[in-house]
Amino acid sequence: MRKWRRPARTVRLRFTVLYGVMFLLSGVGLLAITNLVGLGGTRVTQSAPAGTPPVGPATLAAASDRIAWLQTQLSDTHAAQSRQLLIGSAVALAVMGVVSVVLGRVITSRVLRPLRTITTATRRISADNLHERLAAQGPADEVKDLADTIDELLERLESSFAAQRRFVADASHELRTPLTTMRASLDVALAKPEPVPAQTAALADRLRTELDQVDRLLEGFLILARAQHGALSERTTLPLGRLAADALDARAADIAAKRLTVRSGFVHSPGTADAPGTADDGAWTQGNSTLLTRMIGNVVDNAIIHNREGGWIRVAATAEGTTARLVVETGGRVLDQEQVDRLAQPFQRLGADRTRSGDGSGLGLSIVAAIATAHGGALDLRARPEGGLRVAVSLPLASVPAEVPA
């Protein structure tokens, strides 16, 4: 048995109720006035004639009885007419009340249609398509003023986002030059013929490590800015499974160093992620090869770096309906979902208890989210109930090309 749910209190419902109540109140008032006027207008009064009756007592008694009978008949007729008038008016009021509610709903729908259009368009616009505008048409009324105000707000937001991303990209480019100069200076200092003190060599190695970290951070900024700009050139059709397999092979030494167990399942049918398969088993998508490779590399790096010694990694590429999905799971302690939800933001970590490593810039998953969004997909992060993290990247499914590259 379905549970009855109260309708949402929308503006349309409030307008409909308001119109209906106002009509009913006016109808009740009109009905009361009609009945009062009708009763007052049809009231019959009788007065005894003046003087001596022209007939005898017997004739006078008969006439009095006749008059009394006529008055009774007139009163009954008047009462019947009043009841009929009241019943007819009540039926008419009920019918018109229903009609008024229906008409009120239709009218409010027409009145609120531009607002619904504005609401739908505003919900569709996000940080990735701020170039879109409502461009409302119609008379210069309050609704059009609201739409124009929202368009002006979107224009200001688009300018702010573009300026921010342009600053990040420009700053990253400009900072690479002094970093290269500093690294070259260290190499020159260590390459001198005379012996270099041990402390100087250790300091140079430490500085080179920090410079490499800053260089990776700047590279992450560049990729993040490029993905957020949404300018995807050189689109090609690629298999997620093969990209994931290549990423795992490229990091085989890191996996072996942590003694991690990798379980792969590149399959086409959903629900069999642990079954063995090939890397070209249906999960194909279309996009920029460099960005997609970096995206999957970041997901695999996250699974390796933020994993415990002797842990495991499960990687699965599946094709479900119109979606190609790559899922990477790792074991570990039980995580807080609220903290996991923030991992897609830049410089967000779960803390040293999980990472146990100083590696990484905190941009890995934020870059994954930006690249997935730029390709029309999404990143989903879930804390596994039994412990660990589940990272799922969903992208639009593309058809397998006729000539599959080797």
Side-chain angles (χ1 to χ4, degrees):
M1 181 178 180
R2 297 184 59 183
K3 187 178 180 180
W4 180 81
R5 297 179 60 184
R6 295 180 59 185
R9 297 185 61 184
T10 61
V11 176
R12 179 181 179 183
L13 177 60
R14 290 198 295 267
F15 278 177
T16 302
V17 172
L18 178 62
Y19 291 159
V21 170
M22 293 301 295
F23 178 84
L24 290 176
L25 290 178
S26 61
V28 170
L30 180 62
L31 179 61
I33 294 173
T34 301
N35 282 273
L36 289 176
V37 172
L39 290 175
T42 56
R43 183 177 292 111
V44 179
T45 59
Q46 297 288 338
S47 59
T52 304
V55 295
T59 304
L60 181 59
S64 299
D65 294 339
R66 182 66 176 175
I67 291 173
W69 181 81
L70 290 174
Q71 288 179 342
T72 302
Q73 293 295 322
L74 182 60
S75 177
D76 294 340
T77 302
H78 177 67
Q81 290 177 348
S82 298
R83 285 194 299 271
Q84 292 178 357
L85 178 61
L86 181 61
I87 294 174
S89 300
V91 172
L93 180 62
V95 173
M96 291 307 299
V98 175
V99 173
S100 67
V101 171
V102 175
L103 293 178
R105 186 176 180 83
V106 174
I107 293 174
T108 53
S109 297
R110 294 183 63 87
V111 171
L112 297 177
R113 184 180 302 169
L115 292 180
R116 290 198 300 271
T117 303
I118 293 175
T119 302
T120 302
T122 305
R123 286 176 177 172
R124 186 179 65 251
I125 297 175
S126 62
D128 303 303
N129 56 348
L130 285 175
H131 61 278
E132 296 187 12
R133 297 294 183 269
L134 301 179
Q137 304 295 329
D141 54 7
E142 290 82 356
V143 176
K144 193 173 188 306
D145 290 342
L146 175 62
D148 293 342
T149 303
I150 294 177
D151 284 341
E152 294 174 0
L153 174 63
L154 292 175
E155 184 176 358
R156 293 194 297 269
L157 287 175
E158 182 184 14
S159 300
S160 300
F161 272 76
Q164 179 186 17
R165 292 165 181 171
R166 187 164 51 250
F167 170 78
V168 171
D170 294 343
S172 301
H173 276 295
E174 294 297 330
L175 288 175
R176 280 196 160 189
T177 300
L179 284 177
T180 303
T181 303
M182 295 169 65
R183 188 180 288 107
S185 300
L186 288 175
D187 293 338
V188 170
L190 294 176
K192 290 182 177 181
E194 57 271 12
V196 179
Q199 293 181 348
T200 303
L203 179 61
D205 291 338
R206 181 176 179 181
L207 288 177
R208 186 182 288 108
T209 302
E210 295 298 329
L211 289 175
D212 292 340
Q213 177 69 12
V214 174
D215 192 37
R216 287 193 296 269
L217 180 61
L218 293 179
E219 183 183 2
F221 277 139
L222 286 172
I223 295 177
L224 185 61
R226 181 184 176 188
Q228 289 178 339
H229 271 299
L232 301 179
S233 58
E234 303 176 359
R235 298 177 69 93
T236 183
T237 304
L238 299 168
L240 293 182
R242 175 174 296 178
L243 294 179
D246 293 342
L248 291 171
D249 292 340
R251 295 156 178 81
D254 297 332
I255 294 174
K258 276 196 170 184
R259 297 179 288 107
L260 301 177
T261 302
V262 179
R263 286 175 279 180
S264 301
F266 306 110
V267 297
H268 179 74
S269 301
T272 58
D274 291 328
T278 65
D280 303 327
D281 217 358
W284 290 69
T285 191
Q286 192 176 63
N288 183 272
S289 176
T290 303
L291 290 180
L292 290 177
T293 301
R294 180 57 184 266
M295 178 190 71
I296 295 179
N298 281 12
V299 174
V300 175
D301 286 338
N302 183 79
I304 296 174
I305 295 174
H306 305 300
N307 209 328
R308 58 189 178 185
E309 294 285 340
W312 56 269
I313 302 174
R314 182 184 297 119
V315 183
T318 62
E320 305 173 9
T322 59
T323 302
R325 181 175 289 107
L326 177 70
V327 179
V328 178
E329 293 182 317
T330 56
R333 66 180 179 85
V334 178
L335 305 175
D336 184 8
Q337 183 61 43
E338 293 185 0
Q339 295 182 359
V340 169
D341 292 336
R342 294 194 294 266
L343 290 178
Q345 302 175 8
F347 306 113
Q348 294 293 324
R349 299 181 178 89
L350 290 180
D353 290 342
R354 175 179 177 255
T355 59
R356 295 184 183 177
S357 172
D359 298 335
S361 60
L363 292 174
L365 291 180
S366 62
I367 292 176
V368 173
I371 295 176
T373 302
H375 286 80
L379 171 66
D380 182 62
L381 302 175
R382 289 284 181 269
R384 302 177 71 250
E386 57 272 23
L389 182 65
R390 179 182 185 272
V391 179
V393 180
S394 301
L395 297 171
L397 183 65
S399 58
V400 180
E403 297 182 359
V404 177

